[in-house]
Amino acid sequence: MSDLSTDTTLRERTDVNRYWFWLLLGANRWVVAGGLAFLIFFVFMIWGVTKPVSLHSTMQSSDMVETVFAGLVGAIITGTTLVVTINQLVLSQEIGSLGNQRSRMDRTMDFRQNTDSLLGMTTPADPAAYLEALIETSEQRAETLRDTLSETENQELSRKVDEYVTDLLENADHARTHLEDTDFGTFDVLSPALDYSYDRKMHDVRRIGMEYEASLTDEERSAFRNLLEALTMYGVVREYIKDLYIQWALVKLSRAILYAAVIALTVAGGMVVFVDPTTFPGTFLGIESILWVVSAAFAISVLPFLLFTSYILRLATLAKQTLSMGPLMLS
């Protein structure tokens, strides 16, 4: 691959295993949390089966299980109250005086007018359509750049621009295709937006323009500037939509933890109050019934924490991959 060609997707550029990348970013967060809960249940079952002393005998001689679930009851209540803190953090950015709200609106409308001029139409209100329109504009300006330089006498410059534009169009086509029919609030909007490597494209077009600055005509310089403007605008909008998605995800996390906490608290409290060594006698599939119950109850009781883990895995990975803004590429 030449220095003007880039991989089409973020996963390829970061050289991360396909399945691990899907787990971190692409998978449904409830599915990830459920998978982790099943893993905990499975490990508990293995430990219970391989342990020399049965769980039934252990419960008769000690209150270990009751102590564990009593601790979980307190942890669930404490952890759930932290949800309020998360909500306050998100909502505090939306609360302000009338003057602050007017200032925010003015800045937003100023930026919208800038993108209206860039796109040559009213800026779309839908985030996916907004990003798609900016990508399409960068494609058009890239093609204009190539056409402008097609008759230049500098064959090396023409070759580099043609290679650069071909790579940009391939990357842009992939991103636009995957942005179609996506809804904000899901990661499906942000994933293709991250695949479009505008930062590398900005760096390359600036490098080529400066390298051949002395031999460019005014029209050619204008073509370089216009493409850079479109890529710059895309970067700003993508970061803004990313920030909105993070706020949206934190609100969804708060709601998910509240839902799961009600179930987890009921199960953990029931294990403390109602379950003793005689509650589930006998065996099921050759394994003592009480082991099935304790393992399942523990997996359900830690579900709020597993949901928190699954969401933070995505948000932390997203933050890591988008720490920089503009033509600065972190390895």
Side-chain angles (χ1 to χ4, degrees):
M1 180 178 293
S2 72
D3 61 347
L4 292 174
S5 298
T6 58
D7 291 309
T8 304
T9 65
L10 176 64
R11 185 195 68 79
E12 293 170 339
R13 292 196 295 273
T14 54
D15 195 26
V16 177
N17 177 274
R18 178 189 303 273
Y19 302 106
W20 180 242
F21 190 83
W22 174 82
L23 179 67
L24 290 175
L25 288 175
N28 181 285
R29 297 299 93 184
W30 279 93
V31 172
V32 173
L36 292 173
F38 178 79
L39 179 62
I40 289 174
F41 168 78
F42 183 70
V43 171
F44 261 61
M45 290 296 296
I46 292 178
W47 281 346
V49 171
T50 57
K51 185 180 178 182
V53 181
S54 68
L55 181 60
H56 185 272
S57 299
T58 302
M59 291 180 67
Q60 287 181 322
S61 60
S62 71
D63 60 352
M64 176 188 65
V65 171
E66 180 180 344
T67 301
V68 168
F69 281 97
L72 280 173
V73 169
I76 293 167
I77 295 175
T78 303
T80 304
T81 58
L82 294 178
V83 172
V84 178
T85 304
I86 295 175
N87 274 322
Q88 286 177 337
L89 176 64
V90 175
L91 294 176
S92 64
Q93 301 180 45
E94 307 301 321
I95 299 173
S97 65
L98 181 62
N100 289 337
Q101 298 296 349
R102 176 60 184 271
S103 179
R104 288 179 60 192
M105 178 63 76
D106 289 343
R107 290 195 300 269
T108 299
M109 294 309 298
D110 286 343
F111 187 80
R112 288 273 176 169
Q113 290 173 1
N114 291 336
T115 53
D116 287 348
S117 300
L118 178 73
L119 299 175
M121 64 178 186
T122 303
T123 301
D126 178 70
Y130 197 175
L131 291 170
E132 190 176 352
L134 287 169
I135 293 174
E136 185 176 1
T137 299
S138 68
E139 288 181 288
Q140 294 169 353
R141 295 193 174 190
E143 291 175 336
T144 299
L145 174 64
R146 180 164 59 186
D147 293 340
T148 303
L149 290 164
S150 61
E151 298 181 0
T152 182
E153 295 180 358
N154 191 328
Q155 296 302 312
E156 182 182 8
L157 171 59
S158 179
R159 179 189 59 80
K160 286 187 176 181
V161 168
D162 182 70
E163 183 180 350
Y164 168 81
V165 171
T166 299
D167 182 72
L168 183 148
L169 294 178
E170 181 182 348
N171 192 191
D173 182 68
H174 169 85
R176 284 199 301 109
T177 300
H178 288 80
L179 273 171
E180 293 178 0
D181 301 322
T182 56
D183 297 319
F184 184 75
T186 66
F187 192 69
D188 292 339
V189 172
L190 209 53
S191 180
L194 295 174
D195 286 340
Y196 189 50
S197 58
Y198 83 94
D199 47 359
R200 174 64 184 271
K201 301 297 186 291
M202 287 180 65
H203 169 73
D204 288 342
V205 76
R206 293 179 69 249
R207 178 165 59 87
I208 296 172
M210 293 185 68
E211 184 178 353
Y212 297 95
E213 170 72 21
S215 63
L216 296 177
T217 65
D218 290 342
E219 183 183 6
E220 291 167 348
R221 290 192 185 95
S222 178
F224 273 101
R225 286 196 300 269
N226 289 340
L227 175 56
L228 182 60
E229 179 189 18
L231 293 170
T232 301
M233 197 70 76
Y234 174 83
V236 174
V237 173
R238 194 194 76 173
E239 291 305 304
Y240 174 64
I241 291 176
K242 181 202 73 174
D243 291 343
L244 290 179
Y245 172 79
I246 289 176
Q247 294 184 45
W248 185 288
L250 288 174
V251 171
K252 289 179 66 177
L253 169 61
S254 301
R255 293 172 60 184
I257 289 178
L258 286 172
Y259 297 151
V262 173
I263 300 173
L265 189 61
T266 302
V267 172
M271 291 296 294
V272 173
V273 176
F274 300 112
V275 176
D276 59 40
T278 63
T279 306
F280 295 97
T283 62
F284 177 70
L285 299 179
I287 301 174
E288 54 183 337
S289 300
I290 191 63
L291 178 58
W292 287 97
V293 173
V294 170
S295 299
F298 186 85
I300 294 172
S301 297
V302 297
L303 188 58
F305 172 74
L306 297 180
L307 280 167
F308 178 80
T309 300
S310 68
Y311 270 88
I312 295 303
L313 277 175
R314 173 182 281 175
L315 297 180
T317 304
L318 178 60
K320 177 184 176 183
Q321 298 301 332
T322 57
L323 283 175
S324 66
M325 186 175 181
L328 183 64
M329 295 160 288
L330 306 179
S331 57

